[in-house]
Amino acid sequence: MKKALAFVRDLAGYIGGRAPGLIALVALGALLDGFGLLLLVPLLGTLFAESASQTGPLGTLLNLWPEMQGATRLVLVLGLFGLVMALRALILWQRDLRMGALQVGYLEGKRSTLARALADSRWEALNGLGHGRVTHLMSGDIQRCASGVHFLLQGGVAAIMVVIQAGVALALAPQLAVIALASMGLGALVMGRWLGATRDIGARVTNSNMRLMVELGRFLGGLKAAMSQNLHSAFVAAFERDLGIAAHQQIAFINRQAAMRVMWSLLGAAVASISLLLGFLVLDYPPAVMLTLLVVLARIAGPAMQIQSGLQQVAYSLPAWEAVQNTLDDLANEARVVVSSDPDAAPLRGPVQLENVTYLHEGATDGRGVRALSLTLQPGEFVAVTGSSGAGKTTFADLMAGLLQPQQGQIRVGDQVLDDQTVSAWRDRLAYVTQDPLLFNDTIRANLLWGGVKADDAGIAAALAATGADRVVSRLSLGLESVVGEDGAMVSGGERQRLALSRALLRRPDVLVLDEATAALDADSEDAVLKALAGLSPRPLILMISHRAESLSVCSRRLTFDEGRLIDDRQL
């Protein structure tokens, strides 16, 4: 219940000052609907030629325009009814338009908040989430939240409709209305006992869908290797197993929803039948009143069933909202401290000094990271970073990029410490190229200038020539305007690396970090690219992680790591 109230408060907080206008539209639409139902009394009374033997509100309704009879009275009542229904249709149009905009705005705002929280979190926390979980949060869980928000809004509308229509029923036939409404309320309480089980189903669906996304990521990531060894059937079997679990839980929820609709239909039919018998045989209500009451009770049953169904859907969606909210809370605890750089501060220039720096990754049983690292890197050096897998090379590169903050020791650039206040300015003058670089489904030009990089055609041509990517562009019919496809699918792995290196050069960095950034190139191509980088003037400080011994020929210095410690530092 607390989580459900938190969900409602979260949505209400987003709606904010727009709530009064929305509530007014909902109430006005419900009132017009109720007034339209009341007009059925004189309409049916005219058709049945009933006398106004009733007193009070019923007599007033049955005796509308007493001086008029027959067709004239019927036309007037129908005209008024049509006017009320037309005005109601306009109100409902505006109501649904505003509710739709609120639903879309809330969910897109939640996506935006999650994306910003991901971008603002510490790298180690973000890396620990996993792509499958993030993808599922942004897609499946957000879509489940959409269903919950939809039914919360629709449930609020239905609740107001029930109140207004219950008032109409009480005005028409107080005794029968009390009996009918009490019966429906009792039925709603009995069926409400299913909400807890529905939430449990929703939680199981959330977990199984999360496993599906993880399995899908593994399937797509390892599909090539699996197919080459006829092992892809194992991936499919695991995926189908999780798919079956998810489908079973979703069918269980659909079964509950269908059973509830059947129960509401039976309850509505029973209440209507009993009300009709009591009204005619015991309470002697006029036919026009009884028929109108039956219409009102039928209209109440619809919103009442919508409320009950909506509560089931909200309970089903609640675990998805909790997953999103819990992730936001976790990321808030792991957020980087963002400090605006002092515009008057001196630029970060000079040697980079690591003073007794230690960073060990959480959860790693072998304590991977770097330990007690002290060294000085001069501007313009071309440094090879070597060592076995897990030796600490990438951790060192991430520390240099400001992605990780030392747990002990400090990093200095010139006379300034690399910390929360200076890291933003430091990253502005750094370029980082990984083994599997990111390319967007856009043109080559857009990919090269991603992130607001400014460069004219001459500058782009020079950067492409330095990495050999000019040959990639020249073979494409549209040149720089060629679209590279999703994740650069239209070009090879080596061509992606060349384009990513060209993009890095266009940043004109003072520090260039290459993490296996030329691994997809053959030896001759890699040698040509590295020699071009070595010949840059002015040359940035280049840190190159590589396992190839041939790559060392262009480097001026080599750092060798083993189990997180720098075991060798020599000039080449």
Side-chain angles (χ1 to χ4, degrees):
M1 180 60 71
K2 290 182 179 180
K3 291 293 185 180
L5 291 176
F7 188 13
V8 173
R9 285 196 301 269
D10 189 40
L11 178 59
Y14 171 78
I15 295 174
R18 290 166 290 189
L22 181 61
I23 292 173
L25 285 174
V26 172
L28 183 57
L31 286 171
L32 289 172
D33 188 68
F35 186 54
L37 291 173
L38 287 174
L39 285 176
L40 290 177
V41 175
L43 181 62
L44 293 172
T46 302
L47 291 174
F48 293 140
E50 293 180 351
S51 62
S53 59
Q54 295 286 332
T55 60
L58 291 183
T60 302
L61 288 171
L62 286 169
N63 201 32
L64 279 177
W65 300 299
E67 68 281 359
M68 297 183 183
Q69 298 297 325
T72 304
R73 188 165 183 262
L74 181 62
V75 169
L76 285 174
V77 176
L78 281 174
L80 181 58
F81 181 80
L83 180 63
V84 170
M85 290 298 99
L87 182 58
R88 172 180 173 272
L90 290 174
I91 295 298
L92 295 188
W93 174 35
Q94 288 299 312
R95 181 201 72 185
D96 292 344
L97 184 63
R98 294 194 183 190
M99 287 178 57
L102 286 174
Q103 179 181 340
V104 172
Y106 172 81
L107 294 169
E108 294 311 311
K110 189 65 72 174
R111 272 199 180 100
S112 177
T113 300
L114 182 56
R116 192 171 297 279
L118 289 167
D120 289 342
S121 65
R122 295 184 302 116
W123 170 247
E124 53 266 47
L126 179 60
N127 201 37
L129 283 177
H131 290 174
R133 181 180 176 188
V134 173
T135 301
H136 186 258
L137 286 169
M138 282 289 194
S139 55
D141 283 340
I142 288 289
Q143 289 303 319
R144 292 260 305 285
C145 287
S147 298
V149 170
H150 173 76
F151 281 100
L152 275 178
L153 294 173
Q154 292 294 334
V157 172
I160 294 176
M161 294 289 291
V162 167
V163 170
I164 297 297
Q165 290 167 356
V168 172
L170 290 169
L172 287 171
Q175 295 164 305
L176 281 181
V178 168
I179 294 171
L181 294 174
S183 300
M184 289 184 176
L186 182 61
L189 288 176
V190 171
M191 285 182 277
R193 297 171 62 88
W194 285 11
L195 289 177
T198 302
R199 186 191 178 283
D200 293 339
I201 291 174
R204 290 194 290 271
V205 168
T206 296
N207 293 332
S208 59
N209 284 343
M210 184 77 73
R211 288 195 298 271
L212 272 176
M213 294 304 299
V214 172
E215 287 296 332
L216 182 60
R218 291 173 180 169
F219 178 69
L220 295 176
L223 185 58
K224 183 177 181 180
M227 291 185 69
S228 67
Q229 305 172 74
N230 280 333
L231 298 176
H232 50 282
S233 58
F235 279 97
V236 175
F239 185 74
E240 287 179 340
R241 181 181 62 251
D242 289 335
L243 191 64
I245 294 173
H248 176 75
Q249 299 301 332
Q250 291 170 11
I251 291 172
F253 173 69
I254 293 171
N255 180 52
R256 283 181 175 272
Q257 290 285 77
M260 184 175 296
R261 283 192 291 270
V262 171
M263 293 174 67
W264 266 109
S265 298
L266 294 175
L267 178 62
V271 170
S273 300
I274 293 172
S275 300
L276 191 62
L277 289 172
L278 289 176
F280 275 114
L281 300 179
V282 179
L283 300 174
D284 195 28
Y285 281 108
V289 173
M290 289 304 306
L291 289 174
T292 303
L293 181 62
L294 287 178
V295 172
V296 172
L297 290 177
R299 295 292 294 274
I300 289 177
M305 185 168 61
Q306 189 176 23
I307 292 172
Q308 192 74 21
S309 176
L311 289 174
Q312 292 277 335
Q313 185 66 53
V314 170
Y316 178 71
S317 304
L318 190 58
W321 179 84
E322 289 179 43
V324 173
Q325 203 61 42
N326 289 339
T327 301
L328 287 173
D329 293 340
D330 292 342
L331 291 175
N333 294 331
E334 298 290 347
R336 292 181 286 109
V337 178
V338 180
V339 180
S340 300
S341 300
D342 184 356
D344 298 326
L348 279 72
R349 292 288 188 274
V352 180
Q353 297 174 292
L354 286 83
E355 301 172 355
N356 199 34
V357 169
T358 293
Y359 185 93
L360 302 179
H361 294 279
E362 295 181 9
T365 56
D366 55 0
R368 292 188 177 186
V370 297
R371 304 167 185 269
L373 177 60
S374 296
L375 63 95
T376 300
L377 301 168
Q378 298 294 336
E381 282 192 291
F382 199 141
V383 182
V385 183
T386 63
S388 60
S389 178
K393 303 184 299 298
T394 297
T395 303
F396 166 64
D398 290 346
L399 285 164
M400 288 293 298
L403 292 173
L404 304 177
Q405 294 292 320
Q407 296 165 343
Q408 296 178 14
Q410 63 179 7
I411 302 175
R412 303 180 67 87
V413 182
D415 295 330
Q416 300 186 62
V417 175
L418 190 60
D419 55 17
D420 292 327
Q421 189 167 356
T422 57
V423 69
S424 179
W426 173 249
R427 289 175 180 172
D428 285 339
R429 51 185 290 263
L430 180 140
Y432 198 130
V433 186
T434 62
Q435 181 175 357
D436 188 18
L438 173 66
L439 291 182
F440 301 97
N441 188 18
D442 208 333
T443 64
I444 290 178
R445 184 188 299 276
N447 273 283
L448 292 174
L449 301 181
W450 175 60
V453 173
K454 304 296 183 183
D456 56 18
D457 285 348
I460 292 175
L464 292 172
T467 65
D470 53 340
R471 296 191 295 275
V472 179
V473 176
S474 64
R475 73 173 177 80
L476 299 173
S477 58
L478 297 180
L480 290 173
E481 307 312 317
S482 301
V483 176
V484 298
E486 192 71 34
D487 288 333
M490 304 302 293
V491 295
S492 69
E495 290 170 337
R496 285 199 301 271
Q497 289 186 339
R498 291 180 189 272
L499 291 171
L501 287 166
S502 299
R503 179 170 60 195
L505 294 181
L506 287 172
R507 284 177 61 86
R508 296 181 175 84
D510 292 332
V511 180
L512 177 59
V513 180
L514 309 176
D515 189 353
E516 300 285 353
T518 57
L521 300 177
D522 60 73
D524 291 338
S525 297
E526 181 188 45
D527 183 65
V529 170
L530 295 180
K531 285 180 177 178
L533 295 179
L536 292 174
S537 181
R539 188 171 73 186
L541 167 61
I542 302 176
L543 302 176
M544 182 183 67
I545 299 174
S546 178
H547 288 94
R548 288 181 179 175
E550 298 87 347
S551 305
L552 302 180
S553 61
V554 299
C555 298
S556 58
R557 182 178 177 185
R558 183 180 70 189
L559 305 177
T560 303
F561 286 84
D562 183 49
E563 295 185 353
R565 297 187 181 277
L566 180 62
I567 61 171
D568 187 39
D569 180 0
R570 68 178 62 186
Q571 299 294 322
L572 298 177

